[in-house]
Amino acid sequence: MINFTVGPVQSSDAVRAIGAEQVPYFRTAEFSELMLENERLIKKFAYATEDSKVVFMTCSGSGGMETAIMNCLNKNDKALVINGGSFGQRFVELLTLHEIPFTEIKLEHGKALTLEHLAPYEGKGYTAFLMQKHETSTGVHYDIEMVSDFCKRNNLFLIVDTISTFLCDPFDMTATNTGIMITGSQKALACAPGIAVMILAPSALKRVGENKCCCQYLDLKLALKNMERGQTPWTPAVGILRQINVRLKEIETMGGADAEIARCANLAKYFRDKLIEHNLPFEIVSESLSNAVTPLHPTTQSAYEIFLKIKDEYGMWICPNGGEMKDTIFRVGHIGCLTESDYDQLINAFIDLRQKKFI
Ligand SMILES: *Cc1c(COP(=O)(O)O)cnc(C)c1O
C-alpha cells in the first residue's frame, strides 16, 4: 500500500527500524540525553526562544489540545476560537467541557480567514485565541501573521494547533508570539502515533504555574519539572520518542526545517501540476492551501467511493473525509516518506478510473 493520508503517514527506513527493536529501559542518563536533544531540535525547527520549554505527552494530538486548555486557561479567561472544520470544532467542544468562556468564529468550509472575521472582536476584552494553523479536515491554511498581529494588538494568549502543518509550512513561534504550539508524532514528524509534542513560550509557562490542572496525568507542572532532566512523570511511549529522535536528526542532516518544508512543498506542487496537466475531474476546494494536503471535490463520483476503489483495487490510501463532507471531498496528503513516483502511480490510477468511466 502507498499511504497518501494525513496521518499516520509513511516513515523512513531508519524510523521503521527503531520500531523493530526492543523497547529499552528509560530511567537512564542515555534516555534523558535523547529527550533533551529532542527538545533542542524541536525548538530549533519551530524557531522558539531559548527560554521556551518542550514537553512530550504520551497521547495523540487531541490529548495535546486538551492539555493546553486544561493547563493554560481557566474560567476567568475569555477566549476566541476559529472553527472552520472538525479540528476547530474539537477546540469548541473542549472549551465547552472545561467551562472556559469563549466566542466561536465559525468559517464556511474551504474559506480563508480574513481581517473582517476578526474585526468585530478588537478591543473587546478577550484574553486568549485558539486556532488550527492548518484546518486539516478542509485543507485551509490560515494566515497566522494576521492572527498574530491581532493577538499582539489585543494582548491575547495564542494557542496554535500546528499538528498537520509543522514541518510542512513555515512557522516561527517567536515572530508570531505563539504562547503554546502543539503537534503530533504521526503527521509530518512521520513516526508512529502516540506522542503529542508541545512547545511552551514563557507566557505559557507563567500560565501553567498559576493554573490548577484537574488531571494528574496531563498536568504540565509535573511534565515540565521532569523534563528539566529529560524525563517524564510516567512511562512514556519510549519507542516513539526514540523514533522522533532519529527523525529529527534526519531532518537536521538534510538541511533542517526549511529544507523539509521545501521538500513537502515540491511534492504538493508536483501533484497539483499533474492534476491540471491531465485535466482530472477534481476541483481544489480550499481558498488557502497548505503544503500538507490537497483537498479535492470530485465532480463526477462520490469522494468516498473513489477512496474505496483506490484502496481496494489500486493498493493506495487517499484520505477520506467524514460527516457531511464524506461524499463531496477527499484529500491527498504530501507528508511523510513519499516520492514523485508515488504520485505518478496515484495519477495513473485516476487516469485508469477515468478510462473505465468510474470518474
Ligand atoms: C490530526 C490532527 C489533530 C488530531 O490529532 P490526533 O492525533 O488524531 O488526536 C488535531 N488537529 C489537527 C489540525 C490535526 O491535523
Side-chain angles (χ1 to χ4, degrees):
M1 297 289 288
I2 306 177
N3 185 350
F4 296 100
T5 69
V6 285
V9 299
Q10 296 184 166
S11 303
S12 67
D13 290 346
V15 167
R16 288 167 59 203
I18 295 285
E21 287 179 14
Q22 297 282 10
V23 177
Y25 181 65
F26 70 104
R27 297 290 188 203
T28 61
E30 290 77 15
F31 187 71
S32 292
E33 203 175 295
L34 176 147
M35 288 288 276
L36 293 173
E37 185 172 44
N38 284 354
E39 172 171 54
R40 184 177 64 75
L41 288 171
I42 286 280
K43 275 166 63 172
K44 182 174 177 189
F45 294 165
Y47 296 91
T49 56
E50 202 40 57
D51 50 2
S52 300
K53 302 282 177 207
V54 179
V55 290
F56 298 88
M57 308 298 283
T58 294
C59 54
S60 79
S62 304
M65 293 164 71
E66 188 153 14
T67 300
I69 288 175
M70 291 180 78
N71 284 271
C72 293
L73 301 179
N74 63 43
K75 292 186 176 65
N76 299 321
D77 277 301
K78 189 172 150 189
L80 266 178
V81 57
I82 304 297
N83 181 0
S86 328
F87 296 109
Q89 178 62 26
R90 190 161 304 167
F91 264 150
V92 165
E93 287 164 15
L94 286 167
L95 290 166
T96 307
L97 177 66
H98 293 287
E99 299 179 353
I100 314 294
F102 72 94
T103 304
E104 169 185 3
I105 301 177
K106 201 150 172 130
L107 301 182
E108 236 178 279
H109 290 167
K111 295 287 176 207
L113 180 69
T114 66
L115 213 45
E116 285 76 67
H117 292 115
L118 302 180
Y121 308 103
E122 296 273 2
K124 292 279 160 53
Y126 286 90
T127 61
F129 196 107
L130 296 92
M131 71 183 297
Q132 274 63 44
K133 181 162 172 283
H134 171 227
E135 173 53 74
T136 325
S137 66
T138 56
V140 178
H141 188 216
Y142 299 136
D143 182 348
I144 193 163
E145 271 76 34
M146 183 183 72
V147 172
S148 163
D149 288 345
F150 175 84
C151 289
K152 286 174 187 162
R153 271 200 305 281
N154 291 281
N155 196 25
L156 305 194
F157 178 71
L158 177 57
I159 298 178
V160 186
D161 166 356
T162 66
I163 295 176
S164 65
T165 169
F166 180 57
L167 299 172
C168 301
D169 303 293
F171 174 64
D172 185 324
M173 181 144 176
T174 304
T176 53
N177 199 29
T178 298
I180 185 160
M181 78 78 102
I182 309 150
T183 192
S185 51
Q186 85 280 25
K187 302 276 168 95
L189 273 173
C191 295
I195 292 284
V197 182
M198 305 170 74
I199 310 180
L200 291 89
S203 59
L205 298 172
K206 183 163 177 290
R207 277 179 171 259
V208 171
E210 290 166 356
N211 241 342
K212 179 177 167 202
C213 175
C214 282
C215 173
Q216 189 187 43
Y217 189 76
L218 300 178
D219 191 338
L220 285 179
K221 284 193 202 64
L222 300 174
L224 286 163
K225 183 81 203 132
N226 277 267
M227 194 55 195
E228 283 173 17
R229 57 184 177 110
Q231 286 287 329
T232 53
W234 340 107
T235 307
V238 176
I240 303 169
L241 289 162
R242 292 185 65 223
Q243 289 186 328
I244 289 174
N245 187 252
V246 165
R247 171 70 170 141
L248 291 173
K249 288 194 290 201
E250 221 171 54
I251 294 171
E252 178 79 333
T253 310
M254 305 284 280
D258 296 345
E260 179 59 17
I261 290 165
R263 193 187 67 83
C264 187
N266 280 336
L267 285 179
K269 183 172 185 315
Y270 184 81
F271 174 69
R272 290 166 191 167
D273 286 349
K274 290 273 168 192
L275 283 181
I276 294 168
E277 183 186 325
H278 295 284
N279 197 23
L280 287 160
F282 309 137
E283 287 167 2
I284 292 182
V285 286
S286 162
E287 283 185 352
S288 171
L289 288 168
S290 155
N291 295 319
V293 69
T294 304
L296 293 166
H297 167 58
T299 51
T300 57
Q301 174 62 278
S302 147
Y304 196 74
E305 291 301 322
I306 296 174
F307 158 72
L308 289 177
K309 198 79 163 177
I310 293 285
K311 169 171 76 70
D312 296 334
E313 292 182 23
Y314 296 87
M316 292 179 264
W317 285 296
I318 53 175
C319 200
N321 269 48
E324 61 193 65
M325 290 180 274
K326 181 178 171 197
D327 285 314
T328 52
I329 295 176
F330 68 77
R331 292 163 295 162
V332 174
H334 311 297
I335 55 186
C337 201
L338 286 164
T339 62
E340 290 182 357
S341 89
D342 293 327
Y343 285 98
D344 290 340
Q345 285 198 51
L346 181 60
I347 292 286
N348 285 339
F350 288 143
I351 291 171
D352 195 44
L353 285 178
R354 182 169 56 190
Q355 257 155 17
K356 291 178 175 152
K357 306 224 177 308
F358 183 79
I359 56 171

